[in-house]
Amino acid sequence: GDSVTQMEGPVTLSEEAFLTINCTYTATGYPSLFWYVQYPGEGLQLLLKATKADDKGSNKGFEATYRKETTSFHLEKGSVQVSDSAVYFCALLSGGYQKVTFGTGTKLQVIP
Amino acid sequence: NAGVTQTPKFQVLKTGQSMTLQCAQDMNHEYMSWYRQDPGMGLRLIHYSVGAGITDQGEVPNGYNVSRSTTEDFPLRLLSAAPSQTSVYFCASRSGTRSKNEQFFGPGTRLTVL
């Protein structure tokens, strides 16, 4: 079945550091890939997405590229801010587009 | 648009009690889902629906029932609450169109079962 594996956290970075959160997936066909962010006490919200191979999703300085050859969708940001502290979830949608599969989430803490 | 709304925000139950978590969306989305979120376990799918009158089980359906009589509403029923059902519950909806297939989440219901 479909699965998403993302790096375990927590990840602690200093402000302005470079961020990478790894995400790899297993799926049949051509899934859509997503990164969601969850701030404390809130629901998840879409950060970025990509629907086909080599697409790059971007939003708020975050980027991720859909790499079919390595089945990866790593999240990157060049310079993190304290306000980026949250839990980040990688997810995919495939198999007739009925169910979304989530990774276990990576907690990011950015310190001033 | 209100998006996805959930009620209540907080609930405390005693073991054996039943209750219904409400979820509604005003985006005319075909797909709706219920998840539970537990520490260290990410999101687990409880039940989902691909349209009014159609529901199916996710990975952790035991102890929960759902129905989808309208496009807008997707209530989750706990039949006989157990402490293992203490969790945060999220409802989500999405379009069936590939170009707009991201999920929209409600704010969550924090449930404690004593």
Side-chain angles (χ1 to χ4, degrees):
Chain A
D2 297 344
S3 67
V4 174
T5 303
Q6 60 181 107
M7 61 189 291
E8 297 212 9
V11 174
T12 302
L13 295 174
S14 297
E15 206 165 21
E16 300 184 0
F18 184 85
L19 168 71
T20 299
I21 301 178
N22 290 337
C23 172
T24 57
Y25 67 89
T26 302
T28 55
Y30 299 90
S32 294
L33 301 174
F34 308 89
W35 277 101
Y36 289 88
V37 59
Q38 184 180 32
Y39 299 102
E42 298 183 10
L44 280 71
Q45 54 186 278
L46 179 71
L47 180 60
L48 53 84
K49 63 181 273 190
T51 58
K52 62 183 188 294
D54 300 324
D55 267 1
K56 177 185 284 188
S58 61
N59 186 26
K60 300 181 181 179
F62 291 90
E63 293 183 339
T65 301
Y66 187 162
R67 302 288 188 197
K68 191 161 179 65
E69 65 275 12
T70 55
T71 60
S72 65
F73 193 54
H74 304 321
L75 182 68
E76 296 182 336
K77 187 176 185 182
S79 177
V80 294
Q81 305 301 312
V82 172
S83 57
D84 294 327
S85 298
V87 180
Y88 293 81
F89 292 90
C90 186
L92 69 84
L93 173 62
S94 71
Y97 310 115
Q98 291 194 354
K99 292 188 285 184
V100 178
T101 301
F102 286 87
T104 53
T106 302
K107 184 175 182 178
L108 170 66
Q109 182 179 15
V110 181
I111 54 178
Chain B
N1 286 353
V4 180
T5 57
Q6 291 184 239
T7 56
K9 288 191 175 182
F10 301 93
Q11 183 70 50
V12 179
L13 293 178
K14 295 181 179 178
T15 297
Q17 287 185 314
S18 63
M19 78 160 294
T20 298
L21 279 61
Q22 301 292 343
C23 174
Q25 53 94 5
D26 61 359
M27 296 171 282
N28 202 32
H29 286 165
E30 301 96 316
Y31 294 85
M32 296 187 74
S33 302
W34 275 103
Y35 298 88
R36 58 177 291 172
Q37 184 177 32
D38 302 294
M41 302 192 72
L43 289 161
R44 293 185 290 171
L45 181 65
I46 304 171
H47 286 284
Y48 66 100
S49 169
V50 301
I54 306 170
T55 64
D56 204 350
Q57 297 181 350
E59 48 182 314
V60 289
N62 292 341
Y64 307 94
N65 273 356
V66 292
S67 59
R68 183 101 179 267
S69 57
T70 66
T71 299
E72 294 78 20
D73 300 300
F74 191 44
L76 178 71
R77 297 182 188 84
L78 279 69
L79 308 174
S80 177
S84 60
Q85 293 179 306
T86 294
S87 188
V88 181
Y89 291 84
F90 289 102
C91 180
S93 73
R94 65 179 178 85
S95 166
T97 306
R98 185 178 178 92
S99 62
K100 298 181 180 180
N101 58 4
E102 62 269 24
Q103 286 196 311
F104 291 80
F105 285 82
T109 295
R110 284 151 182 79
L111 175 68
T112 301
V113 182
L114 303 175

